Every structure is written in C-alpha cells, then in structure tokens.
Amino acid sequence: MEILQEGLYVVAALDNVLTIDTGLHAVGFEHAHFPHCAYDFTEGWAGDMHPPSRKDFVSLTLTGQGSGNYNNSKQWRRQSCWRKWKRLSRLQRNLILFTVALMLLCGIATYPSVTEHFRGLTVVAKEEGDHALKPVVHEVQPALDKLNRPLVPESPSEKQKRAAHKRGPPGLQNRLQKKGNVSDTQVEKEEGEKPLVNWHVAMIDQATERGTAKEAANKVDVPEVEQEGHSHKEPEVDRLEAVRDAFRHAWKGYKEFAWGKDELRPMSKSYGEWFGLGLTLIDALDTMWILNLKKEFEEAKTWVSTELSFNKNVDVNLFESTIRILGGLLSTYHLTGDTLFLDKAKDLGTRLMPAFNTPSKIPYSDVNIGKGTAHPPRWTSDSTVAEVTSIQLEFRELSRLTQDTRYQAAVDEVMQKVHKLEGKQDGLVPMFINTNSGQFTHLGMFTLGARADSYYEYLLKQWIQGGKKETALLEDYLQALEGVKKNLLKKSSPNRLTFVGELAHGRFSPKMDHLVCFLPGTLALGAHHGLPADHMELAKQLMETCYQMYAQMETGLSPEIVHFNMHEGSIGDVDVKLADRHNLLRPETVESLFYLYRFTKDRKYRDWGWEILQNFNKYTKVSTGGYTSINNVRDPEYPSPRDKMESFFLGETLKYFYLLFSDDPELLSLDKYVFNTEAHPLPIWPTAQ
C-alpha cells in the first residue's frame, strides 16, 4: 500500500482506476480524521509524479469545514435546505407552494368564527371591588329559534361532497343502549348568517316564540350547559304557544296552497283530493277552537257555511268520512253551540246510511253520497273489522242529538253481530268481515294494528259514552285484553321492552305498528274509569316502548312499523325494515302521552312529548307552510319528504300535544268527554239516559 500523503493511502490501481482508502475503515485506522484529501486521474498523478500523455483522470475534492469537525450552524442549514429546494422539479415546487397558500387561506377564513365562538363562551366581567372574574350570562336566542332553525335545500351532489355526519335528536332522554347511533354535532349559526344546509327538499322553518307565558308550570326550563368551566342557561319556552305556532304554520300552508281541498302537499305547494270535501279544514275545526285560534276558526267556519256541500257525485269511505268529517262537525257543535255544524252533520249522516243496506247489515266500505248508493271495494266484498266497528260513537251521538234512532240502531246491530261471531281467539278478532255473509274472513290472523286497532278502542269508549251500562261491550273489551296478554304480549332483548306483536295461524311475529300505540292511552282510560289497576301498569310499560320507538331512531321520529328483537344477545331492541321507515305525522303516541300525563301527572310524559314535537319541527316542517310526512326516519341528513300533510296532523296530533301541555284538567275533562278515534271529543251521556 503506497502512501500518497498523510492520511491518504492507495489500495489498488488498475486500468487508470484508483481505489483509495481514507483510513476511516482501514484496519488500524478507524475513527481517523482527514482535513483534506485529493486524488486525480485527469492529466496524471498528483504530487511529484509525471503526467501521462493523455487526459485520463477525474479530480474529486472533499473539503471539511474548519478543523474537519461536523458543523450544524444555521447558515449551513439554510444553504443545505436551499440546495434541496433547488433540486426539486418545478412541478413539485408549485404543488408545495399551492398547498401552503391553501392552508393559509383556510386559516384566515376560519379565524373570525373560531374567535367569536370562544368569545361567546368565555366573556367575563369584573365585579366592582372584586378582582375575581365571573362569567357573564349572555342573552341567547330563544330556545325555539335554536331548536327549529330554518334549513335551505341541498342538492344530492352537494350532500355527497361533504362527510355524512348524522345527527340524533336533541336532548333525547334515551336511557337504553342505542345501536349504531350517530353524532349529535350540529353547527350553530350566528344571527344574520345564512341558514345551514341540511336535506334536499324539505326545509325546516323556525317557530317564533310568542311570549304569552300562559302557564309557568308548563314552560321548558332548559338545563345549564357547561362549557370550559362556565355555564349559561337558555330561556324558558311556553310549550302551549309552541303548539299554536306549529298549528299556525301548518294552517298557513293549507290556506295558501290547498284552501278548501282535502290535503296539503307542502313541498310542491299544491293539494291532493280524496273526497273533495275540505277534509283537513273540517278535521281541524275543533282543534282551532281548543287552541283559541279565533281568526283561523272564523275563516274555516265561513267556508263551511258558504262552500261545504255534500250533494256531490263522489264515493267516500264510510269509516274515514265518519271519524273525520261527521265526528269533526259533531264535536265542533258541542264546543261552540253553533247549529250550523249540527245541520251539516245531520246531512252527512243521512247520506252515509245507504252503506248499511247489505244482506248481513255489515256496512259496505264505500258510499256515493250524491247518488245514495254504496258498494264494497272493487277487489273484494270484505270490509275491515276496524272500519265497521269504529263508527259507533259518532252515529250514536247523532241519534241522541236529532232524536232519530235509525243512526244508532244501524251501528248497534253491527256490534251485536260481531259480539256473537265465531272465529275469535280469546277475544281477539280477525281483520276482515264479509258484507254478504256477515262472517269473519282470513281467520287466524290477529293484530292490534291496522284493520283491527280501533275495534278494541271503541269497545271501551262506547261503554263509557253510554254511561257504563252496556255490559256486553265491557265484557268483550276485558276478554280481548286477556287475549292480548296471553297471545300477543312479549318482551324484547336486551332491554326487555314490553310490546304487542301479531299472530298468524298460531305463529307469533314481533311486528308492532305505530298504530298500536293507541293502547297505552286506552288502558289508562279504562283504569281511570274503574277497571283493574294492572291495566295502568301495563299502560306505563307500553308507553315506554312507544317512546323508545321514537328515541332510538336517528331523527327522533318513529317509523310506521318496527320489529322487536327477542333473541338473547341482541345488540338493539328494535329493527326497522327499509319499507317501514316512513313517518306519517301520526298521533297515537302523543295521544297516549296525554292520557298518561292527565292521570299520573308524571312530567316525563310531557318531556317525551316535547322531544317529539321538536323533532317534528326539525325534520318535517316546511318553510313555506305546512308539515310533510317523510320516508326515512333513520336518515337525519335526508329524511326524504313524501309531500303530504295528512288531515289528522291538525285534527289529532297537534290537538293532543296541546292537551298534553295544558295544566287545566277541566279542558275537555275525561270525566265529561270521550274522544273518537280521530280525537274529536263527544260528551259522555248523562247516567239517567
């Protein structure tokens, strides 16, 4: 090995290629340091050696800094970073510059809202003479405005661009384990800012607080909200006024876009016709009177006086026209004393009587009120049991008021026939009855849901209406309840919610319609009128279940049908099939909450009702007026409006909300009135009758 100079050693030289070792890893020379090394191949050997005749070497110089030790000075680092930057391609440098600029713009855009948010939470004031800082309670937007913020339409493409953060209903007191719940996060907008984007078509409008504060005990005292060691308290809300606001908003849409028509289509700002008899208007008459909405009532009364005529060549459904129109007119007559409504009721009742002209005296489902003819549906000669056994309260009351016995005689005969029929199971009735033979059909199918529900309700209510004299009605009711307990009553898993299923030829199905939620209220009403106390206990259990049908949904609104899990180890109590996720603004749960609160005075029933009302406002309220049924209660981002406001939303749902929040036990006392299945109150007959 030849030494060229101090610290530089030739290891091998071959074909003008010189391999050297600086001694850093040579044997015996580890950790050596060399201030300068040079080796050349271009024109010859370095030092005293003679150059060759041709250029055949390359010069490489390794120069240390100072003494040769590593130098980490700032100047050296800046030079190193600059060299790295210059080595990047133009595309890479442009991408980095664009990213930095974008981050700066985002920071500038979000800075004001962030600072304002924390200012609102942490503003403090110094007390006079005291160095301690204390939080200042700001005047906050009324609770109704915050809960019912208006939302603007959003296209599906815009919805897909942002992350799908689903929001659950605000403040739900769901004490049970929830399955797959999503974030409750929702961004608050400052006053004057544009409304938030939510779902595609339906737009939620805010309900303004009127400030009447009629009943202090019925106000919402919003709990304090803790935030960074401070707290603030939102103002109280008059729940009765909130219901009035909801009615005014619904009436605004009906008046502007569907006046005198059967139903409002709030999304398309149009209307739908069923019978062509102003169904929504008549259904809402007594609600307006009860809510003391005098202006709206007078508008509707004028239409009834000048426009309503039953002399039309139109088919109407016997059951629906009886409970909604006949019941609404009779109820309004009793509340107002105005004979206009009784005269209209008598006219309609007379035109419905041809339905009873059947071989069996079981009425047809459809009547032409102009021609005076009746017929079954086109596809069958059957009527549903609920239809023919849930018209009795109205026709019986019409007979009492007019002293014309034929109305009551017709409906009483139906009940007497059903009382004696074969085909029941422990008091439970099948869903269909043939108008020719007068016999049950579709034997072995039993439910308290659609097509049978109000049969059981009217057994009890006819008994109450008639002064508790008709023992056959009471016997059928009590026997049916025993049949429910024996055949249909089960508990879910994992939280053991009590529910009412269905029976099909001996096979149990854990399917429960929202319609079944009439049962807690009916049970409580029976207990109030002297029936066994365990009816009230069952009512409370079922009331909890009906509330959970709302609370466990992402929108806080119940689907039309649920299926309960019964297998041990189930994650959640409730399953909802895709076809059953719609909500039609139904009243049954609110109805039962009213009965349970009226009889128990337990405030949790009011609180549950308040949650439901807020969620109706949040997900079904349309900004231009009205409320819409929705297709999907499990998608709070896009519940998918159906563009239809059923007449029972004004006739029943809002009425029961108002009665639930009222502290006046004499407002339609349940010792003086009995409600038909469309929430129209009719008087309980004097005992002497």
Side-chain angles (χ1 to χ4, degrees):
M1 181 173 62
E2 182 182 356
I3 302 176
L4 298 180
Q5 63 184 58
E6 183 182 358
L8 186 63
Y9 307 93
V10 176
V11 178
L14 181 64
D15 295 331
N16 295 328
V17 177
L18 177 65
T19 303
I20 65 173
D21 190 342
T22 64
L24 288 173
H25 299 289
V27 177
F29 294 96
E30 291 184 4
H31 311 298
H33 299 283
F34 305 98
H36 179 76
C37 298
Y39 43 97
D40 300 323
F41 281 93
T42 55
E43 295 185 359
W45 292 102
D48 297 330
M49 302 185 70
H50 299 286
S53 60
R54 57 189 176 87
K55 299 179 180 181
D56 55 358
F57 72 90
V58 177
S59 177
L60 174 64
T61 301
L62 304 176
T63 303
Q65 297 292 330
S67 64
N69 294 329
Y70 174 70
N71 190 334
N72 193 31
S73 68
K74 292 182 180 179
Q75 181 179 2
W76 186 88
R77 288 199 304 273
R78 282 196 296 268
Q79 292 173 352
S80 176
C81 291
W82 177 249
R83 284 196 299 271
K84 290 179 181 178
W85 171 258
K86 295 297 288 183
R87 287 172 187 162
L88 295 174
S89 68
R90 180 176 297 178
L91 177 61
Q92 290 173 321
R93 287 185 297 214
N94 288 341
L95 286 174
I96 293 173
L97 289 174
F98 177 77
T99 303
V100 172
L102 185 61
M103 292 173 64
L104 287 173
L105 288 174
C106 291
I108 293 171
T110 57
Y111 177 75
S113 61
V114 172
T115 54
E116 287 298 321
H117 173 69
F118 281 101
R119 271 194 206 122
L121 295 176
T122 59
V123 170
V124 293
K126 195 172 184 179
E127 283 189 342
E128 186 175 349
D130 189 357
H131 295 287
L133 294 178
K134 64 182 294 184
V136 175
V137 179
H138 282 260
E139 180 180 354
V140 296
Q141 187 180 9
L144 284 176
D145 290 347
K146 293 192 70 176
L147 293 170
N148 306 323
R149 291 183 300 275
L151 305 179
V152 300
E154 176 189 29
S155 67
S157 60
E158 290 172 336
K159 175 174 175 282
Q160 293 167 1
K161 287 179 183 178
R162 56 189 177 83
H165 294 291
K166 294 187 177 180
R167 293 183 299 276
L172 286 179
Q173 303 298 319
N174 183 9
R175 292 163 290 155
L176 303 183
Q177 179 183 2
K178 293 187 177 182
K179 179 180 180 181
N181 280 355
V182 288
S183 172
D184 293 332
T185 304
Q186 187 163 2
V187 181
E188 298 289 347
K189 281 285 184 181
E190 297 293 334
E191 185 176 357
E193 286 187 310
K194 292 182 180 179
L196 294 173
V197 174
N198 198 326
W199 43 291
H200 175 47
V201 184
M203 297 173 291
I204 311 226
D205 199 24
Q206 66 182 18
T208 56
E209 184 177 11
R210 306 292 177 180
T212 55
K214 184 177 179 182
E215 300 178 36
N218 188 37
K219 288 184 175 181
V220 184
D221 192 2
V222 183
E224 292 187 356
V225 180
E226 296 296 333
Q227 187 66 259
E228 295 186 358
H230 304 299
S231 65
H232 68 273
K233 200 173 187 179
E234 295 185 353
E236 294 176 337
V237 179
D238 188 337
R239 293 177 174 180
L240 291 177
E241 194 59 34
V243 180
R244 291 192 192 98
D245 283 339
F247 188 98
R248 289 187 189 103
H249 187 79
W251 189 253
K252 172 181 177 287
Y254 178 75
K255 183 179 177 181
E256 290 185 14
F257 309 123
W259 184 248
K261 307 301 181 182
D262 282 342
E263 294 166 336
L264 168 67
R265 295 190 180 277
M267 307 307 306
S268 57
K269 302 179 184 178
S270 61
Y271 59 85
E273 290 284 55
W274 191 2
F275 307 142
L277 299 175
L279 199 58
T280 293
L281 187 148
I282 298 175
D283 220 358
L285 283 169
D286 56 1
T287 304
M288 289 182 276
W289 185 266
I290 294 166
L291 271 59
N292 198 28
L293 298 173
K294 296 179 181 179
K295 175 177 174 287
E296 291 81 358
F297 179 82
E298 289 301 324
E299 293 171 344
K301 176 184 172 182
T302 300
W303 184 88
V304 171
S305 176
T306 59
E307 302 292 332
L308 178 60
S309 172
F310 298 120
N311 187 22
K312 291 185 176 181
N313 180 17
V314 59
D315 280 358
V316 302
N317 179 272
L318 172 66
F319 167 70
E320 297 290 356
S321 57
T322 296
I323 65 171
R324 301 193 198 204
I325 303 177
L326 182 59
L329 292 170
L330 290 171
S331 172
T332 307
Y333 165 70
H334 280 294
L335 294 174
T336 66
D338 193 328
T339 57
L340 165 67
F341 303 106
L342 178 58
D343 293 340
K344 294 290 185 181
K346 182 178 179 180
D347 184 21
L348 176 62
T350 302
R351 293 175 182 273
L352 293 175
M353 287 302 290
F356 296 91
N357 296 331
T358 69
S360 66
K361 302 304 179 184
I362 300 297
Y364 290 127
S365 63
D366 298 297
V367 189
N368 188 303
I369 56 175
K371 292 182 177 180
T373 58
H375 58 86
R378 298 185 189 93
W379 56 89
T380 180
S381 59
D382 290 349
S383 291
T384 70
V385 172
E387 287 180 337
V388 303
T389 59
S390 304
I391 54 179
Q392 278 68 20
L393 291 179
E394 299 82 359
F395 277 94
R396 283 156 55 107
E397 179 60 16
L398 185 59
S399 276
R400 189 178 77 90
L401 291 173
T402 63
Q403 299 300 308
D404 187 341
T405 59
R406 60 183 173 141
Y407 307 113
Q408 181 173 352
V411 295
D412 282 352
E413 186 171 3
V414 175
M415 295 306 300
Q416 291 163 9
K417 287 183 175 294
V418 172
H419 174 71
K420 299 174 183 177
L421 277 182
E422 298 291 331
K424 299 178 185 177
Q425 180 169 329
D426 301 316
L428 303 175
V429 296
M431 295 184 291
F432 296 95
I433 188 169
N434 189 273
T435 53
N436 294 319
S437 67
Q439 300 297 312
F440 289 130
T441 61
H442 298 77
L443 299 179
M445 306 284 290
F446 303 101
T447 177
L448 262 69
R451 302 186 179 93
D453 51 349
S454 47
Y455 161 74
Y456 304 99
E457 175 188 357
Y458 267 42
L459 287 174
L460 175 69
K461 289 183 175 180
Q462 286 179 80
W463 176 70
I464 295 172
Q465 179 192 46
K468 305 178 184 178
K469 296 178 179 179
E470 299 156 291
T471 55
L473 295 168
L474 178 61
E475 290 170 3
D476 285 348
Y477 175 73
L478 293 174
Q479 186 180 9
L481 286 185
E482 293 305 312
V484 170
K485 294 176 183 178
K486 178 180 178 181
N487 300 287
L488 305 181
L489 205 63
K490 304 288 182 182
K491 289 188 180 293
S492 68
S493 176
N495 293 296
R496 298 189 58 77
L497 297 175
T498 302
F499 70 95
V500 178
E502 297 182 352
L503 201 62
H505 307 292
R507 184 175 180 180
F508 180 81
S509 169
K511 168 181 174 286
M512 179 170 163
D513 293 0
H514 182 274
L515 288 167
V516 180
C517 287
F518 83 91
L519 187 57
T522 300
L523 287 166
L525 179 64
H528 174 72
H529 282 281
L531 299 188
D534 65 344
H535 288 197
M536 180 61 80
E537 292 307 310
L538 180 57
K540 293 176 180 178
Q541 295 174 26
L542 290 172
M543 190 75 263
E544 170 77 23
T545 301
C546 290
Y547 167 66
Q548 290 299 329
M549 288 166 63
Y550 284 77
Q552 294 194 29
M553 298 300 109
E554 285 78 357
T555 60
L557 296 175
S558 173
E560 182 74 359
I561 299 170
V562 300
H563 288 76
F564 286 90
N565 293 319
M566 297 177 61
H567 301 292
E568 292 297 329
S570 297
I571 298 175
D573 295 85
V574 174
D575 284 330
V576 186
K577 295 183 179 179
L578 190 61
D580 302 331
R581 294 184 178 185
H582 50 288
N583 180 287
L584 303 182
L585 311 174
R586 286 199 184 276
E588 286 77 21
T589 293
V590 187
E591 171 187 1
S592 287
L593 288 171
F594 156 62
Y595 283 110
L596 267 292
Y597 178 76
R598 182 68 69 94
F599 296 137
T600 68
K601 301 301 179 185
D602 189 334
R603 288 190 62 87
K604 74 178 180 182
Y605 299 122
R606 274 188 171 174
D607 294 337
W608 292 354
W610 180 240
E611 291 171 10
I612 295 171
L613 178 59
Q614 290 176 85
N615 289 315
F616 275 135
N617 279 328
K618 187 173 183 180
Y619 295 105
T620 72
K621 191 175 184 179
V622 182
S623 65
T624 51
Y627 289 73
T628 179
S629 49
I630 58 176
N631 277 316
N632 193 351
V633 299
R634 307 223 71 167
D635 187 353
E637 293 298 322
Y638 184 64
S640 181
R642 296 166 70 101
D643 194 20
K644 186 176 184 180
M645 184 177 77
E646 300 277 359
S647 77
F648 53 66
F649 181 67
L650 299 184
E652 298 186 74
T653 309
L654 292 181
K655 183 186 297 167
Y656 281 128
F657 271 128
Y658 191 84
L659 294 172
L660 169 63
F661 299 143
S662 172
D663 282 323
D664 183 3
E666 291 304 310
L667 179 60
L668 298 174
S669 166
L670 294 173
D671 292 319
K672 299 176 182 177
Y673 289 93
V674 61
F675 288 83
N676 83 339
T677 196
E678 191 73 9
H680 297 305
L682 300 173
I684 297 174
W685 298 347
T687 359
Q689 183 172 337

